[in-house]
Amino acid sequence: MSTTAEAAAQLIYPPNVQANASLINVKFVSSCFAGAAAGILGLENWLGFAFFLASTLITSASIYTINCRRRPAKYIQGGLAELVNPGQDNIFTFVLVWTLFYGIVHGEMPTAKFSAVRTD
């Protein structure tokens, strides 16, 4: 007869755990693209964070309807709350990519403060 720990271990099927872990990757890539879009659009301050919130909700809604078939508690351990939670890593990734693309697209090239010919 198996103990409760052994019975619980038998309920975990590794391919399903791996497939559920890929949802984290989808959220990560989504935050990267959202950061790039916010930087390219030139969003600043609260508009950028509102864009992150909107992209997180859209990504969560897509996962909710497509992957979880409107039953997130069946597929994700934390249920809907875990699905909508952006995660600290994703927020940092968004800000990093946002500032990178903002600097690339909207940054100014430094101008030379001196000239080759002296004008005294």
Side-chain angles (χ1 to χ4, degrees):
M1 179 139 3
S2 64
T3 63
T4 58
E6 291 175 5
Q10 292 174 354
L11 295 176
I12 298 174
Y13 184 61
N16 289 349
V17 172
Q18 186 177 8
N20 289 344
S22 70
L23 296 178
I24 295 170
N25 294 336
V26 169
K27 291 169 73 173
F28 175 77
V29 171
S30 172
S31 68
C32 287
F33 282 124
I40 291 170
L41 292 173
L43 301 179
E44 296 178 348
N45 299 328
W46 293 110
L47 285 176
F49 289 109
F51 189 78
F52 173 72
L53 179 66
S55 70
T56 300
L57 291 175
I58 290 170
T59 302
S60 297
S62 299
I63 293 172
Y64 176 80
T65 56
I66 297 169
N67 292 22
C68 295
R69 297 183 180 108
R70 295 192 173 112
R71 290 178 288 165
K74 182 177 179 182
Y75 298 99
I76 300 172
Q77 188 173 8
L80 186 61
E82 184 65 28
L83 182 62
V84 177
N85 183 9
Q88 186 176 4
D89 295 339
N90 292 340
I91 293 171
F92 290 147
T93 301
F94 172 81
V95 171
L96 178 69
V97 176
W98 177 21
T99 55
L100 172 71
F101 275 84
Y102 186 88
I104 290 172
V105 174
H106 301 285
E108 295 181 16
M109 294 294 293
T111 57
K113 300 287 183 190
F114 61 91
S115 64
V117 179
R118 202 166 174 168
T119 59
D120 292 339

